[in-house]
Amino acid sequence: MVVIAASPSWRRPHGSERLLGASALIGLFFGSTLLGRVPDTVGRQKVYRYNFVLIAIASAAQFWAHSPLVLFLLRLVIGFGLGADYAVGSTLLSEFAPRRLRGVLLGSLTVLWTVGYVLANVLGTYIPITDSAAHWLLASGALPALLVLVLRIGIPESPSWLAARGRAAEAAEVRRRYLGQSGVTAEEAGAAAAGQPPAARYRELFARGQAARTWFGVIFYSAQVLPYFAIYTFMSQILGTLHISDADTQNLVLNLALLLGRVIGLWPVQRMGRRPFTIGTFANLTACLAAMAAFSGSSGWVLMVPFLVYTFVMAGASNITHVYPPELFPTALRGSGVGFLNGASRVASAIGTFVLPVSLSRLGVGWSMGWMALVLLLGTVVSLAWAPETRDTLTAEDWHH
């Protein structure tokens, strides 16, 4: 948000604003896909601990970014580091979290992300964006990155990954020391007997028995985040198109609805099955954007009603993006699979972020909301056809004492 708000202060070539908006998403794609295999090969812990070194350095360097090109490159680097974290963060947590709490714990990752997003959005709206303020705001991202880096010191390796590599004794020690559990699981005993498995390869994501889940994950994740990132990156332009007199206040209301939806949305993620939750939220989101398209000629205040509902529901629906992907893959493929899904979804996000401002200016808000409703409709249909129920999937194995 600050990037978009600050970009008019630079002399920039035509189209660079859209590239700046999509820069972190492009970096997320490369980080998720190129580094997604690394947690499956060398372990979750190393990637989880050190990727924020890269993020902190690049974030701080934005203070000295005095051209769109330099800022674009730095945000690519930040996105690259975050892409690795998207692949390993939910993977590692899913392998420590018990089934009964997994929905809440993994969904909370998205809630905490939203707190930072809303804070950045509000600051970008109400702080006068001079060159100095823009650079301070952009560089301030280094502070939470450093805090995360410190908090991750001492994080142990995933016992599930250790077990999958045949290192049963180390897995048992992690469980004893950090989880208060003893003994080995049947999976650990079998893995130890089989020896260390070969490194995961992306083609295994499309092997018989796994391909349908992988393709579902790609389409589900991409269909959800394409309109989400596009809309909230260019929120101010959308509100301007709706001709709302107090757009800043409405932006604040929408951001509060986003935060409220995230928190309340933790409950259905935990209590409902993954399949009905996904289908229901996709259908609701499709209806909201379709209503905005159908009534695009109405006053801005009328259009704000489905927009507000969309924001609230999308916030809750997005909680599952950290819950569902780890449950779609076995331990040996989990990092690669989650990284691949994240990478594919960031391609969709970048496309939406690049296309939406052009669509708003040339087609108007009605047609823009219409084509994004079709994207969500695709997600609804694919979920109806392919969405598996994974709530009871074992990512952190049952313990046998």
Side-chain angles (χ1 to χ4, degrees):
M1 181 66 185
V2 174
V3 173
I4 302 303
S7 59
S9 65
W10 286 307
R11 295 178 181 176
R12 64 190 190 282
H14 179 69
S16 64
E17 180 180 290
R18 298 196 300 275
L19 281 174
L20 285 172
S23 56
L25 298 174
I26 296 170
L28 278 165
F29 164 75
F30 286 107
S32 294
T33 53
L34 295 180
L35 297 182
R37 289 180 56 192
V38 175
D40 287 337
T41 304
V42 305
R44 323 304 196 201
Q45 179 196 49
K46 294 181 177 64
V47 180
Y48 189 71
R49 183 186 300 174
Y50 295 118
N51 65 323
F52 262 82
V53 174
L54 183 66
I55 295 170
I57 292 173
S59 296
Q62 290 179 110
F63 184 79
W64 295 277
H66 293 289
S67 75
L69 176 60
V70 173
L71 182 62
F72 175 79
L73 294 175
L74 287 173
R75 294 190 66 78
L76 276 179
V77 173
I78 293 170
F80 188 83
L82 287 173
D85 201 65
Y86 269 61
V88 75
S90 57
T91 296
L92 182 62
L93 183 55
S94 74
E95 292 171 350
F96 274 100
R99 281 177 291 174
R100 62 185 180 85
L101 296 176
R102 192 164 61 224
V104 168
L105 291 176
L106 293 178
S108 67
L109 297 176
T110 314
V111 174
L112 295 173
W113 178 90
T114 303
V115 172
Y117 170 84
V118 170
L119 180 60
N121 203 334
V122 171
L123 290 174
T125 299
Y126 290 101
I127 293 179
I129 301 298
T130 62
D131 281 345
S132 177
H135 287 91
W136 278 109
L137 287 170
L138 291 170
S140 67
L143 297 178
L146 288 171
L147 176 61
V148 169
L149 184 61
V150 171
L151 291 175
R152 290 185 176 184
I153 294 175
I155 293 293
E157 183 55 85
S158 160
S160 297
W161 181 83
L162 290 170
R165 307 297 286 185
R167 295 157 63 178
E170 294 174 68
E173 174 60 20
V174 170
R175 289 175 179 156
R176 183 195 65 77
R177 182 175 179 183
Y178 294 96
L179 301 174
Q181 297 159 337
S182 60
V184 297
T185 70
E187 178 176 338
E188 289 172 351
Q196 183 168 295
R201 293 169 292 184
Y202 275 127
R203 69 183 182 186
E204 296 175 31
L205 300 176
F206 302 95
R208 184 185 298 273
Q210 181 60 51
R213 288 190 167 209
T214 300
W215 282 119
F216 161 72
V218 168
I219 298 173
F220 140 76
Y221 208 160
S222 298
Q224 189 182 98
V225 301
L226 188 153
Y228 174 82
F229 274 91
I231 287 173
Y232 294 105
T233 299
F234 294 97
M235 177 75 80
S236 58
Q237 286 88 329
I238 293 173
L239 293 176
T241 303
L242 297 179
H243 303 295
I244 294 176
S245 56
D246 192 0
D248 286 349
T249 299
Q250 292 304 313
N251 186 36
L252 179 61
V253 170
L254 288 167
N255 275 279
L256 292 176
L258 189 69
L259 188 56
L260 186 63
R262 281 276 200 261
V263 175
I264 294 177
L266 288 174
W267 183 84
V269 166
Q270 180 65 26
R271 300 297 298 178
M272 294 176 64
R274 313 302 190 224
R275 176 180 167 84
F277 179 84
T278 300
I279 294 171
T281 52
F282 261 129
N284 190 299
L285 295 169
T286 302
C288 288
L289 292 193
M292 292 187 70
F295 298 103
S296 60
S298 303
S299 69
W301 294 105
V302 171
L303 292 174
M304 279 300 297
V305 175
F307 199 7
L308 191 62
V309 175
Y310 169 85
T311 298
F312 181 83
V313 176
M314 173 55 79
S318 296
N319 286 338
I320 206 169
T321 59
H322 278 101
V323 180
Y324 221 158
E327 295 175 344
L328 293 174
F329 303 97
T331 299
L333 289 175
R334 190 164 293 128
S336 300
V338 173
F340 183 78
L341 263 56
N342 273 290
S345 72
R346 300 314 137 175
V347 173
S349 301
I351 290 172
T353 304
F354 195 81
V355 170
L356 182 59
V358 178
S359 176
L360 287 171
S361 63
R362 297 186 180 182
L363 302 177
V365 69
W367 286 103
S368 297
M369 295 299 154
W371 68 258
M372 287 191 290
L374 290 176
V375 172
L376 291 167
L377 179 61
L378 174 64
T380 307
V381 172
V382 169
S383 296
L384 281 166
W386 291 349
E389 183 50 69
T390 61
R391 183 173 59 176
D392 294 327
T393 297
L394 292 177
T395 55
E397 298 87 4
D398 287 332
W399 316 122
H400 302 282
H401 301 281

